[in-house]
Amino acid sequence: MSRILLTGAAGFIGSHVHNALIAAGHEVVAVDVMLSAAHGPAAPVPEGVHRVDVRDGPALDHLLTGIDVVCHQAAVVGAGVSAQDAPAYASHNDFGTAVLLAAMDRARCRRLVLASSMVVYGEGCYRGERCGRADVGTRRREDLDRGMFEHRDPATGESLTWDSVPEDAPLRPRSLYAASKLAQENYARAWASATGSGVTALRYHNVYGDDMPRDTPYSGVAAIFRSALEAGRPPQVFEDGGQTRDFIHVHDIAAANVAAVEQPLPDFVPLNIASGRPITIGEVASILAAARGGPAPEVTGRYRPGDVRHIVADPERAGHAIGFTAQVDPVAGLSKFAFAPLRSAAATGAPLV
């Protein structure tokens, strides 16, 4: 049994991690700052959770006494809807992580499990039948306007298909949130090197499940589709619906955190945490609509110029490194998610610094 400091313990993912760690027999010191963007306005602090900001070094010094592992879930989330969100990401995600790492060093706590994200990759990996593995840039507006959504090989014009993304793929964040998650990884990697500590960075792919926040600008697409269906509206699918992702249930995310806590790894090790069963955004909308009895999704052809077309993970390393394999099939999990309880959250964007 380990004594674990869990940050972000009242959040969507953090609350599931909290329950899973306790069920596995660990002692958990749970903290959360209770931002309204994640919990709704005036949300009560859950029983057993301390209201603590990870940017508060003295508070962390007190809580880190006797801690074996820190499981760091606390973060401002979302795609970075506005450039005005940048200070919040930098303050809560990056400065908060730096303060936490410094406090861990003072406490001689040498193990960190970090909640990272697939967004650190930016675009996924691509290949063509003739050109093989291809490096892609941003899609051209003129192609998107004509409904040509797939990436093309710049030399031949060949349409490219997705390839699975390994952990050693280039890291090219394309949103403010992604930039902050990569900064967290970089701080953690440098801290591990400087202190001889171990960091397991779990790069979550598209997480969904019970207690996910409802429809806000920062919600995941599954929750946005679900909210539309609840209101009797058809889900609005951008592009042609062929964007491919890996959807992983929050119960699997919690299991991955337990596995990472129980399997110490040296140095800095990033791991894709994914189902390994890719699915298109159009299929996600159709599964949810079918489960709820309609209305059918509308494929709009609209696009956001900076959106990633495909990103699909290779989850093999997590199986070898910490013994984690996802158990929830995305089709079954999304069908059940169609009626799962969701949490209310403030739809006002990222918090003020």
Side-chain angles (χ1 to χ4, degrees):
M1 182 186 78
S2 295
R3 191 163 190 260
I4 300 159
L5 176 65
L6 173 64
T7 72
F12 162 48
I13 292 175
S15 60
H16 287 277
V17 173
H18 192 185
N19 292 337
L21 287 170
I22 291 173
H26 298 288
E27 181 184 354
V28 180
V29 178
V31 303
D32 200 297
V33 73
M34 300 300 295
L35 295 173
S36 62
H39 304 282
V45 181
E47 184 178 354
V49 175
H50 304 276
R51 188 166 197 159
V52 172
D53 191 327
V54 294
R55 299 171 296 179
D56 184 346
L60 294 176
D61 288 338
H62 173 71
L63 293 169
L64 278 163
T65 302
I67 293 293
D68 301 304
V69 188
V70 173
C71 190
H72 184 30
Q73 307 293 318
V76 173
V77 300
V81 173
S82 167
Q84 298 307 307
D85 296 341
Y89 288 125
S91 179
H92 289 272
N93 298 2
D94 305 337
F95 179 65
T97 298
V99 172
L100 173 63
L101 293 172
M104 290 177 67
D105 182 54
R106 292 192 294 273
R108 301 294 187 265
C109 180
R110 298 299 184 211
R111 289 193 56 216
L112 174 68
V113 176
L114 174 65
S116 187
S117 171
M118 55 89 172
V119 296
V120 298
Y121 297 117
E123 272 288 357
C125 294
Y126 294 84
R127 74 170 49 248
E129 289 186 8
R130 298 193 303 275
C131 66
R133 198 73 174 258
D135 193 18
V136 302
T138 303
R139 292 175 293 173
R140 301 188 309 167
R141 279 184 177 269
E142 51 266 39
D143 288 340
L144 297 172
D145 287 338
R146 292 197 299 267
M148 297 168 59
F149 299 117
E150 298 294 352
H151 282 281
R152 296 179 179 275
D153 177 54
T156 67
E158 177 185 6
S159 182
L160 303 174
T161 58
W162 62 263
D163 202 358
S164 59
V165 180
E167 285 85 352
D168 59 0
L171 305 180
R172 299 168 177 167
R174 295 181 57 176
S175 71
L176 296 168
Y177 170 64
S180 76
K181 297 306 287 185
L182 180 54
Q184 284 186 308
E185 284 200 12
N186 286 337
Y187 274 110
R189 186 190 297 269
W191 173 82
S193 177
T195 62
S197 301
V199 176
T200 304
L202 305 179
R203 291 175 179 165
Y204 303 158
H205 283 250
N206 291 68
V207 187
Y208 70 97
D210 300 8
D211 205 31
M212 194 173 187
R214 287 188 176 275
D215 186 12
T216 82
Y218 299 84
S219 296
V221 68
I224 292 170
F225 288 163
R226 156 73 190 271
S227 294
L229 288 162
E230 276 189 313
R233 302 190 308 269
Q236 301 293 294
V237 179
F238 278 29
E239 300 187 13
D240 58 0
Q243 311 93 302
T244 310
R245 299 289 189 271
D246 190 304
F247 278 75
I248 180 164
H249 198 278
V250 70
H251 291 169
D252 281 326
I253 293 290
N257 276 273
V258 173
V261 162
E262 295 179 347
Q263 181 58 60
L265 298 176
D267 306 318
F268 177 91
V269 180
L271 299 173
N272 284 325
I273 303 300
S275 73
R277 285 158 274 185
I279 191 169
T280 68
I281 296 299
E283 289 172 324
V284 171
S286 294
I287 290 165
L288 292 170
R292 293 192 65 93
E298 290 182 359
V299 178
T300 67
R302 298 199 305 272
Y303 66 86
R304 290 176 291 251
D307 276 1
V308 171
R309 177 61 177 174
H310 304 297
I311 183 162
V312 174
D314 180 351
E316 186 175 346
R317 184 184 290 183
H320 293 311
I322 59 173
F324 168 75
T325 302
Q327 300 300 307
V328 180
D329 177 79
V331 175
L334 287 163
S335 296
K336 188 173 181 180
F337 175 69
F339 295 96
L342 302 181
R343 68 167 65 190
S344 297
T348 55
L352 298 175
V353 178

